[in-house]
Structure formats: structure tokens, C-alpha cells
Amino acid sequence: PRIRNHTTGERPLVVHGCGGNGRWFLADVYRELSLLEHHGIEESDLAEYDYAGLVPPGEQVKDEHWVGLAPWDWTFFNFYRVRGEALMAERESDLDNAANVQVGDSIWLQAHTGCYIDVEGEAVAARWKDRGDWQSFFIERLSGDGPVRSGDVIFLRGHTGAHVDVKDGIARARWEDYGEWQGLVIESEMAGCIRSGDTVFLRSHTGCH
């Protein structure tokens, strides 16, 4: 039903959209429902009004109307690009160095379950929300000291002194070697320095995370 203004008695036609593309999509839906005809509105009644869609209200959007226009996700892409540039500038700022993870730091790795990765014997798991010795890892790198950056090959040394290794899809902590099995590429959605609290992904020599 149309909304009625209790003060003036007018019943305006209210159309809810969700941004440019949402309006264009809804325009097609309303056209197929013959919404204007249902409310007795002629296209000529709307001719004097501006419209944000690709075509005037009531007209079908066709493929040729999209020619020369940016893809539908262009605005989202630009948002993430600008956001990324801002975060990168923040990460590279000298004022932010205190938050950077450094080679040799003791860290805790929290899984999506909220539990922290731990080492018991040779087994590597994520079982509890404790941040104790079993959950702590020293982050190491062969290429020297300094901040850890996305894309670096790192080694995680558990409280047992052994590094986490991956073989046949299983993570364990068995040896103190700095070999291919122990090397993990640390990745984040942002390039640059890894900071405390970042969401990171660890890619093993198998190519799997």
C-alpha cells in the first residue's frame, strides 16, 4: 500500500534502493511488476524529474546501456584500493613501528575458533584460549633482523625448541632445522609490515595454507 502523509493527505510513491546498481536492478523489477501502471502513473508524469538510473523510469535496461560504463564493482574496488593505500601509509609510518612484529619476537597465533595454536610434544593443534608457554612461538627469519613483512619466509620455534614443519598436509614440531619443510610464507591482506593483531595466512612449501 502507498504511504499516506497524515498532515497533507498526500500519498507519495516511495521507492527504496541500495545505491546506484540497486536502483537499476529494482527499476527492472518494478517495470516487470508494472508498478507505475498499478498506481496509475504515466511515464509523462515523471518526465520533469531527474533520475539516477541508466534509463528513465519504466524503460527497460538493456546491454547497450552498459557500454562504456565502469563495472558494477568499480566503486568497491576503488574503496579497497584507497583503504589499502591508507593502511600502507600508516604501516610504513615511523610512528607505527612499535606495533610491527619483529624477528625474534614471541608471538601467539589465534585461529578462527578463538583458540591459540599450541605445541605438545611434536603435535601442533589449536585447542585452548590460553596464551601460555605451549602457545608461544618465536618468529625467526634467515634474512636478518627487523620487522617481519608480508611475503617473508619465516620459521616458528615452539617452546620445545623445534620449528613447526609441514609434511603430507600435517603440521608438527619435530626438529630444530631451518629447512624447506619448516619454511612458512607469512601473508596478510595488506603488503608491508606485519603488525600485532593482523590476520595472517601461513603458506607452506606445498603451496597450501
Side-chain angles (χ1 to χ4, degrees):
R2 295 273 289 282
I3 296 174
R4 182 183 297 277
N5 185 318
H6 290 288
T7 302
T8 64
E10 296 176 342
R11 301 178 65 197
L13 179 64
V14 179
V15 177
H16 173 71
C18 53
N21 289 37
R23 289 195 296 272
W24 301 339
F25 167 76
L26 287 174
D28 266 356
V29 172
Y30 296 149
R31 180 187 54 78
E32 293 177 11
L33 292 173
S34 301
L35 189 64
L36 298 183
E37 291 85 345
H38 174 73
H39 290 294
I41 299 173
E42 301 289 341
E43 292 184 21
S44 57
D45 296 333
L46 304 173
E48 63 181 290
Y49 300 107
D50 293 331
Y51 58 91
L54 294 175
V55 297
E59 186 176 328
Q60 183 179 6
V61 178
K62 299 180 180 179
D63 289 342
E64 56 262 29
H65 295 126
W66 294 93
V67 175
L69 294 177
W72 70 270
D73 58 350
W74 182 82
T75 52
F76 300 101
F77 171 79
N78 258 346
F79 168 77
Y80 286 114
R81 179 183 61 80
V82 172
R83 174 177 175 268
E85 290 174 357
L87 288 176
M88 177 65 71
E90 180 183 309
R91 286 171 183 270
E92 299 302 326
S93 169
D94 290 337
L95 298 176
D96 197 50
N97 281 342
N100 293 337
V101 175
Q102 305 285 330
V103 171
D105 280 354
S106 177
I107 63 171
W108 293 275
L109 295 168
Q110 188 177 31
H112 67 99
T113 60
C115 296
Y116 290 90
I117 297 175
D118 66 84
V119 174
E120 182 180 10
E122 295 182 348
V124 176
R127 298 175 290 178
W128 305 293
K129 296 185 179 180
D130 303 29
R131 291 200 297 179
D133 288 342
W134 285 15
Q135 288 79 26
S136 65
F137 294 89
F138 286 100
I139 188 164
E140 301 175 345
R141 184 179 63 195
L142 294 181
S143 56
D145 297 331
V148 177
R149 304 177 68 88
S150 181
D152 281 353
V153 177
I154 63 165
F155 301 85
L156 295 175
R157 177 161 54 87
H159 67 100
T160 62
H163 292 105
V164 173
D165 69 87
V166 177
K167 186 176 186 296
D168 298 329
I170 300 174
R172 285 173 287 220
R174 297 178 286 182
W175 306 293
E176 298 181 15
D177 303 37
Y178 293 89
E180 182 182 22
W181 289 6
Q182 289 79 26
L184 299 167
V185 179
I186 188 168
E187 301 171 335
S188 70
E189 65 171 356
M190 295 298 306
C193 297
I194 302 296
R195 299 188 303 171
S196 178
D198 277 355
T199 297
V200 298
F201 307 89
L202 298 173
R203 177 163 50 87
S204 73
H205 66 98
T206 64
C208 297
H209 291 89

